[in-house]
Amino acid sequence: LRVLDGAIAVFDGVAGVEPQSETVWRQADRYEVPRICFINKLDRVGASFENSLLSIQERLPGNQVAFQIPIGSEDGFVGVVDLITMKAVVWSGEDLGASYEAKDIPDELLEDANFHREALVEALSEFDDVLMEKFLESKPITEKELITVARRATISSKIIPVFCGSAFKNKGVQLLLNAIVNYLPSPNDRGEVEGFDPSNEEKIVKRKRTTEEPLAALAFKIVSDPFVGQLTYVRVYSGALKVGGTVMNTRLGKRERIAKILRMKANQRDEISEAKAGDICAVAGLKMVATGDTLCDFKHQISLEPLTFPEPVISIAIEPKTTVDGKKLIKSLERLECEDPSFKVNYNPDTGQTLISGMGELHLEIIADRLLREFKVEANVGKPQVSYREALSTSAKSTFCFQRETEKQRQFAEVTLNIEPYEGDESFVFVNDVKPVVIPPNMIPGIKKGIEEATASGPLAGFPLINVKVTLIDGKFDEETSDEIAFKIAAASAFRDAVRKASPVLMEPVMKLEVLVPDDYLSNVITDINARNSRVNGIDIKAGVQCVDATAPLSQMFGYSTQLRSITQGRGTYSMQFSHYECAPDSVRKQMTGL
């Protein structure tokens, strides 16, 4: 989504908005991606265009407006009514949608079509004065006028057109492709791409989305291809990416040579000599590029907004089954970590274990499956472990004086810190509240780095500290013996001392849980959720089934998929995603810390 100019959100005509749809929709909102909706599978038993449209309008933010309505439903679905042209488009024959014709709207659908057409024109007239005047005065409005205003409103995300059909039989797909051309933006419609100067993050750099501008491209996905090796998917925003050319990786400050560029077409690929502004391509042979890196012209450098990834919330131990698999396992995990930034590999020197961390049980199950299937590595996987955090419950103040004398030099630094709990998006905030005469500005980065490193391990059980605000309030500096390393050590020591005084608490990850279950099993599901120390926030009816919205501690959710299948006879489904951290109960704290 980060690299798209426009998107199509596809919904099931039976289920309507599903849990993961909301997650992806929010991401599209975050990156301001214009989109159109396509309600699919209208030929399935139980499909309902009206119910699906209503669920989109109720559950997803935005101004969703129907541009089509279906002709028939389930087995009787034969076509759609285009509300722009006010024509019925009907598919005939068993040639997978190849032949279709435009007809007059059937009499039984005319009233419904006029109702939706009026709602469409009324919605569009809000964004154009001429259209509003014609609508109020009941003057005729041309197709071109409607398409022009709809395009403008869609690109600015003021409306979201809704289309329908059956992709499996290609019914409605031709009209959807026309809608992409008519309403979604071209790269030129998206305005200048904005980034910053790698040497000065405060300096904004803008590029026009043309081939004449210097190169600016974003590596947004890395995959391991069995035939080509590592493939890096790249979106070119400006300039041109050419075979044989050299690009700058602004994250590393290093150059890479472009050996091969591929145009990807599903499971086929064509080799091309260059990719121009607006293109998405794959580059083979890049060695140091990671997901989210900017590739640009060496003489005109720019860093584009990188991709953001959530922190892993679950860890398991993994080890090779045989010594032969040992080296293969390490290399395979490195490649998987390179592909998936939400997957992390750590080696614990205390236990000698290799730990893999991800976003949930299913995520790590897929990783283990891929190791066996793609990389032919057999591994033993341990029981999942939760990634806890530590936080402060009160504020505290601490002063630490660092003095060290060796044969070669003497070192001195004194730091006074105040720490307090912080409620905000960032897990660590540093504030410098001392005057330059007390501690010189060139020592401040060392102090900040020392504190930042100290947050990696809390005093209770060694878990990282979150939601901490640290204010540097005083200190002492000696011109002859003070240096950045001394201040770094003093700051880290003062911070650890202050944390111990601030009554640290253990924090556990809490997940947002959504369970879809038939009426017959609702009470069983709620009883099971309550038994897991979870909270039920609400129950709605969705697509004929009960939708239970709850929050649950991750530590209580292991094996939930098996349990849910058992108590609902396989008819219940659920989705789970990380919500926030909250204070762990005493029983968990005692188990983890022994205190």
Side-chain angles (χ1 to χ4, degrees):
L1 278 164
R2 162 70 180 84
V3 298
L4 296 184
D5 291 327
I8 304 165
V10 183
F11 298 92
D12 187 317
V14 180
V17 177
E18 295 174 270
Q20 206 59 33
S21 309
E22 294 182 69
T23 307
V24 178
W25 193 272
R26 283 195 295 272
Q27 288 171 334
D29 282 340
R30 179 170 181 255
Y31 291 118
E32 297 177 350
V33 180
R35 71 212 78 140
I36 57 182
C37 298
F38 183 71
I39 298 175
N40 191 23
K41 302 182 182 177
L42 287 179
D43 52 352
R44 271 185 62 192
V45 175
S48 168
F49 174 78
E50 294 293 341
N51 288 345
S52 297
L53 178 62
L54 193 64
S55 75
I56 292 169
Q57 291 170 334
E58 286 180 349
R59 297 188 59 176
L60 302 176
N63 181 17
Q64 298 92 353
V65 181
F67 274 51
Q68 293 175 348
I69 58 170
I71 301 172
S73 64
E74 300 182 359
D75 289 344
F77 175 69
V78 292
V80 300
V81 173
D82 188 331
L83 299 173
I84 295 285
T85 61
M86 286 303 278
K87 288 284 183 185
V89 181
V90 179
W91 279 263
S92 56
E94 293 300 317
D95 51 5
L96 282 179
S99 55
Y100 61 96
E101 57 180 321
K103 300 179 177 179
D104 290 333
I105 300 170
D107 293 340
E108 66 272 14
L109 278 175
L110 205 51
E111 188 181 337
D112 197 22
N114 285 328
F115 171 77
H116 281 286
R117 160 80 172 199
E118 192 167 327
L120 168 61
V121 177
E122 186 179 351
L124 291 176
S125 64
E126 290 181 29
F127 312 110
D128 188 85
D129 293 339
V130 176
L131 202 63
M132 173 69 83
E133 195 176 313
K134 285 189 173 184
F135 174 67
L136 293 173
E137 294 176 6
S138 300
K139 290 181 179 177
I141 299 168
T142 64
E143 289 175 33
K144 190 175 179 183
E145 285 177 302
L146 287 175
I147 291 171
T148 303
V149 176
R151 178 180 178 82
R152 204 164 58 236
T154 305
I155 289 170
S156 58
S157 295
K158 287 174 182 169
I159 71 157
I160 296 160
V162 180
F163 299 86
C164 59
S166 167
F168 176 64
K169 293 177 180 171
N170 285 327
K171 292 180 180 177
V173 171
Q174 295 92 336
L175 301 185
L176 179 67
L177 291 170
N178 291 341
I180 293 167
V181 176
N182 288 339
Y183 307 120
L184 288 180
S186 79
N188 292 333
D189 293 318
R190 298 284 280 150
E192 294 180 323
V193 62
E194 195 173 282
F196 59 86
D197 188 330
S199 58
N200 178 12
E201 292 190 10
E202 302 296 318
K203 186 179 174 185
I204 301 295
V205 180
K206 292 184 179 181
R207 295 273 165 84
K208 290 177 182 171
R209 299 181 185 234
T210 63
T211 311
E212 289 72 37
E213 288 274 294
L215 174 69
L218 187 77
F220 66 92
K221 181 182 175 72
I222 292 172
V223 294
S224 294
D225 188 282
F227 304 106
V228 187
Q230 185 170 291
L231 278 180
T232 305
Y233 281 79
V234 173
R235 164 69 200 263
V236 183
Y237 284 99
S238 66
L241 194 66
K242 297 180 181 178
V243 171
T246 304
V247 295
M248 184 74 179
N249 182 338
T250 54
R251 179 179 63 89
L252 299 172
K254 292 184 177 179
R255 301 189 201 193
E256 288 231 32
R257 190 170 175 278
I258 304 298
K260 187 186 283 187
I261 302 175
L262 302 168
R263 179 182 286 125
M264 308 301 287
K265 298 177 181 175
N267 60 350
Q268 298 177 354
R269 48 182 168 256
D270 299 334
E271 208 167 316
I272 55 175
S273 58
E274 69 173 344
K276 297 178 180 178
D279 287 347
I280 288 177
C281 63
V283 181
L286 296 179
K287 293 180 175 62
M288 296 174 286
V289 173
T291 305
D293 283 356
T294 301
L295 305 176
C296 65
D297 190 319
F298 177 72
K299 293 178 183 174
H300 304 89
Q301 293 190 26
I302 182 174
S303 278
L304 302 170
E305 179 198 351
L307 298 146
T308 53
F309 300 98
E311 283 296 309
V313 293
I314 184 171
S315 300
I316 58 174
I318 191 166
E319 62 182 24
K321 281 193 174 178
T322 65
T323 49
V324 178
D325 285 329
K327 287 182 181 177
K328 280 169 71 180
L329 176 67
I330 293 167
K331 283 187 178 178
S332 303
L333 288 175
E334 281 176 1
R335 284 175 69 178
L336 288 169
E337 190 177 20
C338 188
E339 280 184 33
D340 181 358
S342 62
F343 171 67
K344 295 277 185 287
V345 181
N346 293 301
Y347 177 74
N348 188 329
D350 298 332
T351 61
Q353 286 182 314
T354 300
L355 298 176
I356 57 173
S357 309
M359 300 311 301
E361 272 185 292
L362 180 63
H363 188 185
L364 297 181
E365 279 175 25
I366 291 168
I367 292 286
D369 180 57
R370 286 188 65 191
L371 282 171
L372 182 61
R373 194 164 32 84
E374 289 179 32
F375 299 96
K376 307 292 186 283
V377 177
E378 294 202 30
N380 296 317
V381 178
K383 194 181 172 189
Q385 300 291 319
V386 177
S387 293
Y388 291 94
R389 296 288 185 268
E390 296 181 27
L392 313 177
S393 56
T394 62
S395 57
K397 182 178 166 186
S398 179
T399 302
F400 189 87
C401 180
F402 172 73
Q403 295 184 74
R404 181 166 66 185
E405 192 169 337
T406 62
E407 290 180 10
K408 294 181 181 177
Q409 66 176 128
R410 285 177 62 226
Q411 286 177 294
F412 167 81
E414 186 174 299
V415 169
T416 302
L417 301 174
N418 186 67
I419 66 170
E420 57 190 306
Y422 175 74
E423 294 296 327
D425 294 335
E426 298 175 70
S427 61
F428 167 69
V429 173
F430 175 76
V431 178
N432 176 20
D433 215 9
V434 299
K435 295 175 182 175
V437 291
V438 179
I439 299 176
N442 61 330
M443 299 295 157
I444 302 301
I447 293 172
K448 185 180 178 183
K449 194 173 182 187
I451 297 167
E452 215 164 346
E453 288 177 4
T455 62
S457 177
L460 288 177
F463 294 110
L465 280 149
I466 58 168
N467 301 346
V468 183
K469 182 181 178 183
V470 182
T471 308
L472 177 62
I473 53 176
D474 201 3
K476 287 182 183 174
F477 168 79
D478 181 71
E479 283 190 14
E480 292 181 9
T481 58
S482 293
D483 59 17
E484 198 174 333
I485 294 171
F487 272 105
K488 181 181 171 183
I489 296 168
S493 302
F495 177 76
R496 290 191 190 100
D497 185 48
V499 169
R500 282 190 286 270
K501 295 177 185 175
S503 307
V505 291
L506 192 69
M507 308 289 282
E508 67 175 348
V510 174
M511 312 301 282
K512 183 180 184 298
L513 177 70
E514 195 170 86
V515 187
L516 295 176
V517 58
D519 291 355
D520 302 352
Y521 308 102
L522 181 62
S523 59
N524 293 354
V525 167
I526 291 174
T527 304
D528 183 64
I529 288 173
N530 289 332
R532 295 172 184 268
N533 298 330
S534 308
R535 289 191 300 273
V536 175
N537 301 322
I539 302 169
D540 291 320
I541 294 176
K542 179 185 169 188
V545 295
Q546 299 287 345
C547 176
V548 182
D549 176 28
T551 48
L554 177 62
S555 58
Q556 299 291 319
M557 296 308 293
F558 295 136
Y560 184 64
S561 55
T562 307
Q563 176 69 3
L564 182 65
R565 280 197 295 269
S566 172
I567 60 177
T568 63
Q569 295 183 7
R571 292 177 65 193
T573 60
Y574 82 103
S575 75
M576 190 168 68
Q577 66 187 57
F578 174 70
S579 174
H580 62 281
Y581 280 95
E582 66 180 40
C583 195
D586 290 343
S587 57
V588 175
R589 193 193 73 241
K590 284 176 185 173
Q591 183 185 339
M592 298 307 300
T593 65
L595 299 173

